Structures are given as structure tokens and as C-alpha cells.
Amino acid sequence: MTDQAKTQKIQKINGVRGMNDLLPADAAQWAHLEHVLRDLTRAYGYEFLRTPIVEATAVFQRGIGEVTDIVEKEMYSFEDRLNGEQLTLRPEGTAAIVRSVVENNLLYEGPKRLWYTGPMFRHERPQRGRYRQFHQFGIEALGFAGPDIDAEIILMGQRLWDELGLKGVRLEINSLGQAPERAQHRAALVTYFEAHKEQLDEDSQRRLLSNPLRILDSKNPAMQELIEGAPKLLDYLGEESLKHFEAVQALLKANNIPCKINPRLVRGLDYYNLTVFEWITEELGAQGTIAGGGRYDPLIERMGGKSAPACGWAMGMERVLELMKVSGSLPEAQAQCDVFVLHQGGETLTAAMIIAERLRSAGIDVILFCPPDGQSASFKSQMKKADASGAAYAVIIGPDELAKDEAQIKDLRASGQQKAVALDSLVEAVIDAIVGATE
Ligand code: ATP
Ligand code: MG
């Protein structure tokens, strides 16, 4: 340690508030979730589309809508100092996916089923289930107009919760109708809220003029009663919109998917029409929405593409993992390797390293002991590491074994038995042992 370091403790640098490291201890859970999601998308014929994490700010301003929580106060936007471009760390996936679909003309050959996953960024107050960097998985079905696809994407969600063993997830659904229906409802809403203006909080007073529908989305407990009594959009839907909504519900019913109509469900983004829905749990406190989505027929045209209907949903991966924990359905921690190789340094290390490489070439996962001090360590302390690694077998090469061109194979799980094997046939012996144990 330098004198300066001794007298003045060197400050460590911390991560950004609300942006978390996903630590190795949790890696298996994330891998499990990602694995299930990949299988799900395959089962329904969805293709993976990976867009950049940074987009032009206009993508979200125009896509999500100016008068939304996300665009008004949650976006990480900045000017690229090198060329003056206005950029934003993506707060959600849909607007970026549509930007890409339009730019790459992906609907040229007909409709597309797409999925995405990755980190999203929103400047919110960090708390349980709410972070500034979080991860979403989402699906988008583009170019399909009928209620069948609305129902299919909801079935996908239900299948996912079942696969993941989630308990207590309920589906809430609503219809936002079409723009003219919302305009009529909006007029009624404004009249209603103006008559009760003194009960509106500051945000909602502002929204009264800019986007009164958003008031229904408010989580402010003091306003819930007022919101409960507000005119319901469902009462303003025309025949076509009602028909679509009823068809979605009928398909859900035919597939035994229970759902509750929530006339106040409006979703926090501006691009939706017709069907909207959320999956909600009571198990995670205030951050109880694990996924949400709906139909967004106007968006593709709004982003400069040829008008085409679309719908989709997005899920928060941290919230889903948290709910898996609460539901007791997280997978067991996995072993780090199949085989742990022990040695005594020098020539035994050289032999051990060659053996480890041969085992890996045969498809076996191997950790080769490396002494932290670069010297060597007792077999006893190495064996402790081997046990902790979760490996099924230890391969031990000491000077005595090497002198006879042998190694010891030790069963670390069931029998604890140990036997000497010629180095030449060690790979086969390990494979036989692993295959034999799984039969
Ligand atoms: P909320 O009402 O909880 O703020 P939202 O309506 O803003 O959610 P969406 O934009 O619909 O959320 O995003 C889809 C999902 O992403 C949410 O249902 C949630 O599971 C997750 N999510 C959204 N914001 C966050 C966040 N800041 N941290 C963790 N997960 C989030
Ligand atoms: Mg939000």
C-alpha cells in the first residue's frame, strides 16, 4: 500500500442509483427465465428483433406521446456532445420496434410476429420492483387486425405464468375504442372533472387540459373515489369497437382464461386503441403490475409507416422474478461444473490442464483448481472448493498418480467412491461415470 493510500482511504466508486448489478448468485434464475421466454416465442412463431438501446428522442416523443409520465418526466435524454443529436436511452420497447419495422420495411411481405428483450431506462424513484434500469421482455404482432391475435397474445401470457409457476396473477382488460369515441368520452370527462376541480391533484389539473384520460391512470389514493365515479369509456363505444371487444372476451372464455373488465384501465402510453390489458398480482405491494399491453393500430402510421394494425405486451422481468420467488417457483442453484480438477502444481498442473482441456473437448464442464497465491494448496483445501462448486466428480492428479500415468476419479455426490484410472482412458471413464449416474 502506498503512503498516500494509507493516510487517505481510497474512495470506491458506486453504481448509479436504481441501476443494479445482476450478480452471479442470481444468474441461474435469469437464465431460466430467458430460456422459458425463448421456448414461448418459438411455440407461437415469434422472431427476435434486437434494436439499439439508444434512439433519437423523437422516436419516444412521437411514439409514446408528449403528455405521458414517461415522456414528461422519466426519460434519460441527452445531447450527443460530438454532433448535437438529441438522444434517449429507451424507456420501453414498442416505439423502437415500430421505428425499426418501418425503417427496414419489415411488413413488406405481410404481417410479422416479433419479440424483444433487454434493459429499459426510466428516471423514477427507486423502490421494490421499480428501478431506473430494469429489463423487459415483450412481443409485438404487427399487421393483424382481428380480435384473434389479441386473444392469442393474451394466451401466450397465461401460458408463460403457468410455465413459470406464478401464483395469484389476474388479468384485467378494457377497450379504449377508437379516436372519435374517445373524443366524445373526453368531453364528458372534462365536464365531470371540472365540476370537481378542487379534488384534483396538481398533475391531474394539468392533465385536465392536455390529456384528461390520463387522470384515470392516477395512482393517487386521494383521488380514487372521484375516478371511480367518472364517465366510463365503455359506455361511449360504437358497435364495431364493442364487437371487437366481445370477440376477444369470447375467445378468452373458450380457452378458459378468466378476466375482469376494468373500465378505468387506460395504460400509461398514448398509442393504444381497442383492447388494453394488464396482469396484476397482490403479492408485490404497490408495484403489482407484472405485464401490460394492448392494441396500437395508429402507431405504425404515426411513426411514418404505411398504416397497419398491431398489438403486443411487455413484461417487467425483475417483477416476474420477484413473483417467482414469492411463489416458490425459482429453480435451484445450478452446479458450476461437472468436474473439478485437483493437482499439486509443477508437472501435475501441466498434466491437469491437458486433462481439463480434453474433458472440455468432450463437452464436459470443468473447473481447474487455480491456487489464489499462484503457488499450490493442500488437497484438503482444494477438495472443499470442489464440493462447493457442486461438481459431480473430482479428478485428482498428484505426483504419485502422475508417476504411474494415472489420475483418481472421485464421486462427490452419491457414493463418495474413488478409483484410479489411466490418463489415456480418463475422458472415457469420466463420461461413463456421468452417463451411468444419470441412467
Ligand atoms: P407502472 O404502472 O408500475 O409504472 P407502467 O405502466 O409504467 O408500470 P409499462 O410501461 O406498461 O409499465 O411497462 C411494462 C412492464 O414493465 C410493467 O408492467 C412492469 O412490470 C415493468 N416496469 C415498468 N416500469 C418499471 C420500472 N421502473 N422498474 C421495473 N419494472 C418496470
Ligand atoms: Mg410507470
Side-chain angles (χ1 to χ4, degrees):
M1 208 186 273
T2 63
D3 287 347
Q4 193 195 4
K6 272 185 209 150
T7 49
Q8 174 192 341
K9 192 164 174 293
I10 296 175
Q11 288 273 315
K12 63 179 196 264
I13 303 171
N14 292 329
V16 178
R17 190 166 127 79
M19 303 200 181
N20 300 318
D21 301 309
L22 306 180
L23 298 173
D26 299 326
Q29 301 165 11
W30 280 84
H32 169 72
L33 176 56
E34 284 158 2
H35 185 88
V36 171
L37 292 170
R38 261 167 218 278
D39 282 352
L40 180 80
T41 55
R42 275 197 69 80
Y44 287 81
Y46 280 69
E47 297 174 281
F48 189 35
L49 173 57
R50 203 192 297 258
T51 61
I53 285 171
V54 177
E55 295 275 349
T57 303
V59 167
F60 305 111
Q61 281 172 338
R62 208 199 294 173
I64 300 170
E66 296 274 4
V67 194
T68 55
D69 275 351
I70 295 180
V71 174
E72 276 181 345
K73 45 190 185 195
E74 296 173 1
M75 291 207 305
Y76 284 92
S77 296
F78 56 97
E79 183 184 300
D80 182 337
R81 271 186 299 151
L82 301 178
N83 62 8
E85 280 182 88
Q86 294 300 320
L87 302 175
T88 294
L89 297 184
R90 64 178 180 200
E92 61 105 49
T94 303
I97 291 283
V98 168
R99 192 272 308 144
S100 172
V101 162
V102 169
E103 186 170 345
N104 297 295
N105 208 8
L106 293 187
L107 296 186
Y108 179 69
E109 286 171 359
K112 273 242 173 284
R113 290 174 163 95
L114 300 173
W115 70 278
Y116 62 88
T117 187
M120 304 292 163
F121 302 85
R122 296 184 193 178
H123 195 102
E124 302 192 76
R125 192 171 68 78
Q127 53 198 293
R128 182 189 185 198
R130 196 175 290 288
Y131 311 103
R132 290 182 174 172
Q133 175 178 313
F134 62 101
H135 296 77
Q136 281 187 345
F137 160 84
I139 57 165
E140 314 290 0
L142 305 126
F144 304 96
D148 47 349
I149 195 79
D150 306 34
E152 186 185 277
I153 63 172
I154 292 174
L155 292 185
M156 260 178 106
Q158 185 58 51
R159 180 176 295 278
L160 179 58
W161 317 139
D162 293 345
E163 294 278 332
L164 296 174
L166 299 189
K167 299 203 184 100
V169 181
R170 65 166 201 277
L171 173 65
E172 294 195 352
I173 182 167
N174 191 21
S175 175
L176 298 184
Q178 304 290 13
E181 293 154 1
R182 283 198 299 281
Q184 281 192 351
H185 172 247
R186 179 192 167 116
L189 263 190
V190 172
T191 311
Y192 172 81
F193 283 125
E194 260 175 355
H196 301 87
K197 211 167 178 175
E198 71 296 340
Q199 294 178 47
L200 295 177
D201 61 18
E202 203 181 310
D203 255 4
S204 301
Q205 299 221 359
R206 208 160 30 89
R207 300 243 144 114
L208 189 53
L209 303 171
S210 56
N211 195 344
L213 196 62
R214 262 302 76 75
I215 300 177
L216 302 180
D217 203 28
S218 165
K219 305 240 157 73
N220 183 349
M223 281 175 38
Q224 294 311 304
E225 204 175 315
L226 181 68
I227 290 172
E228 198 67 57
K232 295 186 171 40
L233 179 46
L234 278 180
D235 295 331
Y236 291 80
L237 295 192
E239 207 179 313
E240 279 292 304
S241 297
L242 278 176
K243 214 171 98 193
H244 189 101
F245 192 38
E246 276 154 16
V248 175
Q249 290 174 63
L251 286 167
L252 293 180
K253 194 156 176 231
N255 283 283
N256 298 316
I257 308 286
C259 69
K260 188 180 139 222
I261 297 177
N262 175 0
R264 288 167 41 196
L265 182 67
V266 297
R267 310 272 304 124
L269 308 94
D270 263 0
Y271 46 58
Y272 289 110
N273 71 324
L274 294 174
T275 322
V276 288
F277 52 87
E278 282 183 354
W279 281 282
I280 300 163
T281 173
E282 306 306 328
E283 308 288 332
L284 298 180
Q287 274 60 253
T289 308
I290 58 167
R295 186 163 272 288
Y296 52 91
D297 297 332
L299 183 61
I300 298 177
E301 190 173 25
R302 203 192 314 169
M303 296 296 285
K306 186 163 160 270
S307 173
C311 61
W313 55 259
M315 134 196 144
M317 296 179 65
E318 283 83 355
R319 290 188 195 176
V320 165
L321 284 165
E322 184 73 17
L323 186 55
M324 286 171 73
K325 196 160 143 199
V326 174
S327 307
S329 64
L330 281 178
E332 306 256 316
Q334 277 185 335
Q336 293 174 321
C337 60
D338 305 314
V339 172
F340 197 98
V341 179
L342 295 71
H343 59 84
Q344 286 293 292
E347 285 182 1
T348 64
L349 162 63
T350 310
M353 199 173 239
I354 291 169
I355 290 289
E357 283 300 300
R358 275 199 223 143
L359 287 167
R360 292 181 187 119
S361 296
I364 295 167
D365 300 334
V366 183
I367 291 182
L368 173 66
F369 176 75
C370 280
D373 63 0
Q375 308 290 312
S376 68
S378 71
F379 274 141
K380 195 170 162 216
S381 74
Q382 293 188 43
M383 202 46 96
K384 275 194 194 147
K385 296 239 167 8
D387 281 328
S389 76
Y393 294 92
V395 167
I396 304 154
I397 307 176
D400 294 349
E401 284 80 17
L402 192 59
K404 289 188 266 177
D405 274 331
E406 282 180 354
Q408 302 277 341
I409 300 180
K410 184 173 162 63
D411 183 339
L412 294 177
R413 291 191 191 153
S415 67
Q417 273 174 1
Q418 189 168 324
K419 63 175 180 197
V421 177
L423 286 181
D424 278 351
S425 52
L426 186 91
V427 172
E428 290 73 23
V430 170
I431 291 174
D432 285 350
I434 291 176
V435 172
T438 53
E439 267 168 10

